[in-house]
Amino acid sequence: MVATASTPAPAAVQALHTTVIGWYEANARDLPWRTPDASPWAVMVSEFMLQQTPVKRVLPAYAAWLERWPTPASLAADAPGEAVRMWGRLGYPRRALRLHAAATAITEQHDGVVPDDHAALLALPGVGEYTAAAVASFAFRQRHAVLDTNVRRVFARAVTGVEYPANATTAAERRTAHELLPAGDERAATWAVAVMELGALVCTARGPECGACPLFAECAWQRAGCPPYQGPARRGQTYEGTDRQVRGKLLAVLRDAHGLVTQGRLDVVWPDAIQRARALDGLVADGLVEPVGPGTYRLPQ
């Protein structure tokens, strides 16, 4: 790969596809949402859960979720608060509400069947650009550019020659992703997951195993001498002492309660009353907690 903005030559692109897909076929993890019998709904659930969450934490939650709600209709029939409860400690619990909203829309607008049309997927509540492309590609084997953090990092290094992509997806990244897509649907779908797996296992954010990378010889970043990142400061993942931590502690009390929770039970989870009140207000504003009466709360019904 050459570190230019121009489209690589067709022969180079074909060789890139063969290399990465060949590596994937030999090294892919055996994950339940990749099995031939995984339903489109199972793929959608996995995509919601995997956002900003490692696979090892998702696996048990994914299995429990599908055991309880094997179809969109089964989830839609339950209260949104039950989705929040089952989400447990995966983090970013608004994803549970969004998945419930998507299941409700699928049930009401698509007869309980996850649509195979990309535009229809994108129209579902809680489904953004990445998730729509991922479900269309992985569940229905369609040709779409799937750009998650791992894919963007592989393209940044192998194609553009920089250590990390920008904080937000750029138009240039989208062009690169479309230019590199194989022509056929099936091969494009395999390519999408293969690049993602390469970023997850080898071309990682910290400590990339460049010596084990199938693209080592062609990588623009390697050819440039692995220059250090020069872009805007990258967002951190601090947690201790943040409002996010307080929100998690408050939500844990409500998840475990299976009923109404008084203010007193929430007050003991965090000593800073101002931060605690701010976190609780945020949970209410996000629809994750419902005030029932003065000083009484529950998960959304």
Side-chain angles (χ1 to χ4, degrees):
M1 258 322 146
V2 239
T4 71
S6 59
T7 308
V13 173
Q14 291 290 338
L16 179 68
H17 295 160
T18 300
T19 298
V20 174
I21 291 173
W23 172 88
Y24 174 76
E25 290 173 344
N27 295 278
R29 290 169 291 181
D30 182 14
L31 299 174
W33 46 84
R34 291 179 181 167
T35 60
D37 61 345
S39 68
W41 170 241
V43 173
M44 177 174 282
V45 169
S46 75
E47 289 302 331
F48 271 79
M49 289 186 169
L50 287 165
Q51 294 166 22
Q52 299 178 286
T53 307
V55 165
K56 65 181 179 181
R57 289 185 58 202
V58 165
L59 284 168
Y62 167 87
W65 188 282
L66 288 178
E67 182 177 358
R68 179 169 178 177
W69 296 307
T71 64
S74 59
L75 174 58
D78 245 330
E82 289 306 302
V84 176
R85 195 186 314 280
M86 276 292 285
W87 199 257
R89 300 186 181 278
L90 277 181
Y92 304 99
R94 277 178 290 182
R95 292 179 292 170
L97 290 182
R98 291 168 182 160
L99 185 51
H100 186 278
T104 301
I106 292 167
T107 302
E108 295 175 351
Q109 301 169 19
H110 301 282
D111 297 321
V113 177
V114 176
D116 61 2
D117 177 71
H118 179 267
L121 287 167
L122 196 55
L124 294 173
V127 174
E129 176 185 356
Y130 164 77
T131 304
V135 173
S137 178
F138 304 150
F140 300 110
R141 312 303 295 172
Q142 296 176 6
R143 182 179 184 270
H144 295 281
V146 181
L147 274 172
D148 80 335
T149 303
N150 289 314
V151 174
R152 294 178 61 226
R153 186 170 56 253
V154 171
F155 288 165
R157 291 172 179 168
V159 180
T160 312
V162 296
E163 186 176 11
Y164 298 113
N167 283 333
T169 306
T170 66
E173 287 179 288
R174 292 187 178 92
R175 282 196 301 272
T176 296
H178 283 284
E179 288 166 356
L180 293 179
L181 267 180
D185 283 4
E186 180 63 33
R187 191 165 175 81
T190 303
W191 160 257
V193 70
V195 178
M196 189 177 297
E197 191 79 334
L198 184 63
L201 298 183
V202 177
C203 192
T204 56
R206 298 178 182 177
E209 298 182 22
C210 297
C213 182
L215 299 179
F216 181 83
E218 293 79 27
C219 177
W221 185 54
Q222 283 291 333
R223 288 185 171 184
C226 302
Y229 178 70
Q230 298 293 328
R234 300 175 67 230
R235 292 188 290 264
Q237 293 291 324
T238 55
Y239 181 75
E240 293 296 323
T242 64
D243 283 6
R244 183 173 160 232
Q245 184 183 20
V246 184
R247 284 164 60 103
K249 288 181 175 293
L250 294 170
L251 206 53
V253 174
L254 285 135
R255 281 199 313 268
D256 294 342
H258 292 276
L260 301 181
V261 172
T262 62
Q263 185 72 55
R265 293 177 63 186
L266 297 175
D267 287 346
V268 299
V269 306
W270 196 258
D272 186 331
I274 294 175
Q275 187 179 23
R276 190 177 63 241
R278 183 172 65 240
L280 181 58
D281 287 346
L283 289 170
V284 172
D286 289 342
L288 289 161
V289 172
E290 284 184 353
V292 180
T296 309
Y297 302 89
R298 69 183 179 190
L299 293 178
Q301 301 298 303

